[in-house]
Structure formats: C-alpha cells, structure tokens
C-alpha cells in the first residue's frame, strides 16, 4: 500500500531549535514507519548530520537513523517532483527512515543560538511545503517549530507585506484564503481561536461579526469533514470577564458575538451563546462539547496546554490542504541535548495521516 500513498512532509523549522531533534528521535525509534507513507523532511543536510552526532554524544540516539538526502537546489521553480518521488520510492524499498530535502543554511548552525542569517532557509521550508501541498505532491504538511522573532528580525514578511506572525498566517495567505482557523487538539479538548497572533491591545477590534461568523463556519465545516462529526457541539467563550456581565464589563458579547451565534442557533447548529471563559473550561461543560471557540490565543491555549502539553496537535482549519503541527516552540534550551520529547510531532503526524487517509486523494 505504501507506494500508493502520498508522503507526509515534515518541516524542521528553526535549525537552532529542536525541530531536527524530534524528527531524528522518531526516525531512530522506527516510528516514522508507523504511517505506511513516505516521510519527507526539510532541513539543512549538514546540520541534520551534526545534530544526529550531537544526540548520539548526548546518549539519546544509539546510532544515526538512515535517510536519503536529495541535493536538488530546492526552490519553487526547479524542484523536480518526479525525481523526488522516484528516489522516495527507492528509499522506502531500501528501508530508509525518510527523504531529506536539503535546504542549505547560510550560516553554521549552533544549538540554541538563533542566527537570523538562517531565517531565509526557514521561510524557504514553508514556501516549498506550501508548493508541494497545493499541487497535491504531499498528502499533508507537518510543521516543526520556528522562532517567529527570528523571521521578523530578518525582515521576512507575509505575502501581503505585513510582519511574519506564524505558519497559520503564512499558509493562509499563500493559499489565497481570506480566513483560516487555528485549532489545537488533545485528548481533553479541542480549542479553536477567533484571533491568532495579535497583541492583546488589538484583539477587541479584531472581534468583528464577520470574523466570528467565518470562524464558526470553518469550525463546523472542518469538524464535519476532518473529524467526522456531523453535528458538532460547540461552546464559545465571551471576550470579557463573565462574558461581559450583562454589558457592565464590556459590550462585545451583546453587540457582536451573540447576534452571530444566534444566527447559527437559529439554523439548528448545536452552539452556545458567549459563555464566561473561566467556567466554560470545566469538566462538566467539556464533557458535553466537541470543540471550544476562544476569542484569543492566551484565553484558550494555556488551558488546553495545561491538559496535555507535548500530546497536543496544532492544526489549521480552512486551508485547501492538511496542515498539522507540534504544540511546542523551538525550545532552544533543549536543542542537541536530548531533552526534547517527540510525542507532539508523533501526534501531529498521526493526525495528518488519519486525515489524509480519509481524504479523496490519500
Ligand atoms: N509551531 C511553532 O512554530 C511554534 C509553536 C509555539 C511556539 N513557537 C515559537 O517558539 C519560540 C519559543 O517559544 P516558547 O519559549 O514560548 O515555547 P517553547 O515551547 O519553545 O518552550 C516552552 C517550554 O517548554 C519546553 N519544551 C518545549 N518543547 C518541548 C519538548 N518537545 N519536550 C520537552 N520540553 C519542551 C521548553 O524547554 C520550555 O521550557 C517562540 O519564538 C515561539 O513563537 C513556535
Ligand atoms: N500558537 C501556536 C501554538 O501555541 O502552538 C504557535 O504560536 C504556532 O503557531 P503557528 O502554527 O501559526 O506557527
């Protein structure tokens, strides 16, 4: 069956962080074979080899996992998909753990030390990942962590010329989507966000009827399509303490959020009005819901991560392809020393694989 399925593509992200460590960790344990698909990995080939040696020296890896490096100068224009697919197949037959798509760094990589000279290489990984996913060469993108500040400091911008703020926004703009939704999921809960990487002071202005409406619609559609839940039960957080306390602690619930939620309620969708976020995230409510919609990043994600950091998957809803991600950042303190857990990468691969299996093109 392996030969019929498209690859999962892992981007290792920031080379000074733990992206390569966790990919190597899974490869060394043979866990990349669990998905019965070719695994393609973007990284700098030299840095990958060095990181494997560092992890061996740290006593974490017993030996270097086996991979096949493709030295094509990978950029969007000259990447020979057929050649890579052919080598990919040969590598599986030769029991290689993964195909390494070599994207060279401009400067030497030092564990834990960000060098913005390498930020273009990080951005190039995302660019090639998008190209391979949008033309259906890979079944899904599974992203390792990048250091947002490094890309920003290097002057890397999103397609619309605004500051780079994350994978979610990058893939949204590259795909020409007006709106996508960041959702993080673990055994305890699924939390989707109306706003993503915004300073706190900019959030109220971003809570518009359109934004709330589009978020809810994308969550409903993807809960159906990606999670097979025909009638998802959704609870929605208010923006203000106690969901505005009847208008005494803020008017967004009354003026913006609830009117939109009532449109969906009137259509028969199983969704709440805005609820106080402090008590929404309690066992009684979570036991009866499939997804929570939070208004902003640090309203929803700390609760979710406190229930399963390391076992959580970040996914982007509303994209024309499957994209999942680890739940953690670059963990510069752990790069090369073996302290990084690879469980979130495994969960992200597993979710991407399951979603790809359910999709028409596999
Ligand atoms: N998917 C992504 O690209 C992504 C996700 C989150 C954060 N980030 C970025 O990462 C950078 C650092 O962010 P941060 O310090 O807030 O979060 P972080 O996740 O890098 O680190 C937070 C803490 O968790 C620990 N940790 C992280 N991953 C771990 C793992 N796999 N195993 C064991 N321990 C782990 C770290 O050592 C640290 O103590 C920031 O630039 C942030 O924007 C990127
Ligand atoms: N908010 C994400 C998290 O907590 O995991 C993280 O910042 C990564 O976001 P992107 O996937 O957009 O890079």
């Amino acid at each position: 069956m392996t030969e019929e399925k498209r690859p999962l593509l892992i981007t290792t992200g920031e080379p000074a962080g733990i992206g390569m460590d966790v990919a190597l960790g899974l490869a060394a344990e043979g866990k990349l074979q669990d998905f019965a698909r070719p695994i393609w990995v973007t990284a700098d080939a030299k840095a990958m080899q060095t990181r494997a040696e560092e992890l061996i020296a740290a006593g974490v890896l017993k030996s270097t996992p086996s991979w096949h490096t493709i030295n094509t100068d990978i950029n969007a224009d000259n990447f020979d998909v057929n050649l890579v697919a052919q080598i990919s197949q040969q590598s599986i037959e030769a029991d290689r753990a993964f195909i390494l798509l070599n994207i060279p760094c401009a400067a030497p990589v030092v564990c834990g030390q960000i060098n913005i000279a390498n930020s273009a290489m990080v951005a190039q990984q995302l660019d090639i990942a998008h190209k391979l996913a949008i033309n259906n060469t890979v079944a899904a993108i599974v992203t390792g962590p990048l250091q947002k500040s490094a890309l920003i400091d290097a002057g890397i911008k999103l397609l619309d010329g605004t500051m780079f703020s994350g994978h979610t926004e990058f893939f949204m703009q590259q795909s020409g989507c007006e709106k996508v939704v960041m959702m993080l999921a673990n055994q305890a809960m699924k939390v989707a966000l109306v706003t993503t990487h915004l300073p706190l002071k900019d959030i109220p202005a971003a809570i518009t009827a359109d934004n709330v409406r589009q978020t809810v619609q994308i969550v409903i559609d993807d809960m159906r399509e990606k999670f097979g839940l025909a009638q998802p039960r959704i609870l929605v957080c208010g923006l203000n303490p106690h969901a505005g306390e009847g208008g005494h602690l803020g008017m967004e619930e009354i003026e913006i959020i609830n009117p939109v939620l009532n449109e969906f309620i009137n259509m028969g969708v199983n969704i709440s009005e805005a609820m106080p976020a402090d008590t929404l995230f309690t066992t009684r409510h979570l036991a009866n819901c499939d997804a929570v919609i939070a208004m902003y990043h640090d309203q929803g994600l700390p609760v979710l991560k406190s229930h399963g950091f390391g076992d959580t998957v970040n996914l982007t809803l509303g994209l024309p392809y499957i994209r999942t991600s680890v739940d953690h950042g670059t963990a510069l303190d752990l790069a090369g020393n073996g302290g990084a857990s690879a469980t979130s990468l495994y969960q992200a691969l597993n979710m991407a694989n399951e979603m790809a299996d359910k999709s028409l093109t596999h």
Side-chain angles (χ1 to χ4, degrees), residues 91-108:
S91 291
I92 295 172
E93 282 155 14
D95 267 348
R96 304 289 176 94
F98 59 87
I99 292 283
L100 178 67
L101 305 180
N102 180 23
I103 304 184
C105 285

Side-chain angles (χ1 to χ4, degrees), residues 21-293:
D21 306 45
V22 290
L24 284 165
L26 292 183
E29 289 177 38
K31 289 191 168 169
L32 294 179
Q33 267 86 32
D34 286 1
F35 310 106
R37 288 176 183 272
I39 305 288
W40 295 3
V41 178
T42 60
D44 173 301
K46 264 191 239 151
M48 190 69 127
Q49 185 59 42
T50 306
R51 190 63 52 89
E53 286 159 13
E54 283 161 344
L55 292 174
I56 288 171
V60 186
L61 299 186
K62 291 200 172 61
S63 61
T64 305
S66 136
W67 66 78
H68 187 115
T69 300
I70 296 190
N71 274 319
T72 324
D73 176 17
I74 298 165
N75 65 49
D77 302 321
N78 72 358
F79 185 69
D80 185 343
V81 167
N82 291 331
L83 174 69
V84 179
Q86 196 187 335
I87 297 173
S88 180
Q89 188 53 40
Q90 288 164 4
S91 291
I92 295 172
E93 282 155 14
D95 267 348
R96 304 289 176 94
F98 59 87
I99 292 283
L100 178 67
L101 305 180
N102 180 23
I103 304 184
C105 285
V109 174
V110 181
C111 285
Q113 288 182 27
I114 295 289
N115 184 341
I116 64 168
N118 289 332
S119 294
M121 172 269 186
V122 177
Q124 209 185 343
Q125 294 182 57
L126 306 194
D127 200 37
I128 192 80
H130 165 74
K131 296 273 175 13
L132 292 173
I134 202 84
N135 72 12
N136 286 322
T137 302
V138 297
I141 301 171
V142 181
T143 54
L146 53 76
Q147 188 88 5
K148 297 176 200 32
S149 59
L151 274 73
I152 296 164
D153 291 344
I156 289 165
K157 304 264 196 262
L158 295 172
L159 210 54
D160 69 357
T162 58
M163 183 183 91
F164 181 90
S165 49
H167 293 91
T168 307
E169 297 84 352
F170 177 90
F171 291 130
M172 177 181 86
Q173 293 199 9
Q174 295 290 324
S175 302
C177 296
E178 188 189 338
K179 168 81 184 166
V180 296
V181 174
M182 181 187 295
M183 173 180 269
L184 276 82
N186 60 27
Q187 291 293 331
M189 65 190 95
K190 294 182 178 63
V191 177
L193 306 177
V194 175
T195 57
T196 54
H197 297 118
L198 280 184
L200 199 54
K201 71 177 172 46
D202 296 340
I203 289 167
I207 305 297
T208 62
D210 272 353
N211 198 2
V212 175
R213 190 180 294 110
Q214 287 175 330
T215 304
V216 172
Q217 192 61 59
I218 290 172
V219 170
I220 294 168
D221 291 347
D222 274 28
M223 291 296 285
R224 287 180 180 149
E225 195 183 311
K226 295 202 163 79
F227 292 98
L229 291 165
Q231 295 290 341
R233 300 163 302 168
I234 302 168
L235 298 180
V236 184
C237 301
L239 174 67
N240 297 295
H242 308 296
E245 191 77 29
H248 297 294
L249 293 176
M251 290 300 288
E252 285 84 355
E253 290 79 6
I254 292 173
E255 292 179 347
I256 300 166
I257 302 170
N258 282 341
V260 172
L261 297 179
N262 276 299
E263 293 170 17
F264 287 96
I265 291 168
N266 292 335
M267 287 188 282
V269 175
N270 191 337
I271 191 166
S272 72
E273 287 196 325
M275 295 171 64
D278 60 345
T279 47
L280 185 163
F281 287 105
T282 51
T283 314
R284 183 168 70 89
H285 290 307
L286 293 176
N288 294 306
C289 107
D290 300 305
V292 174
I293 296 180

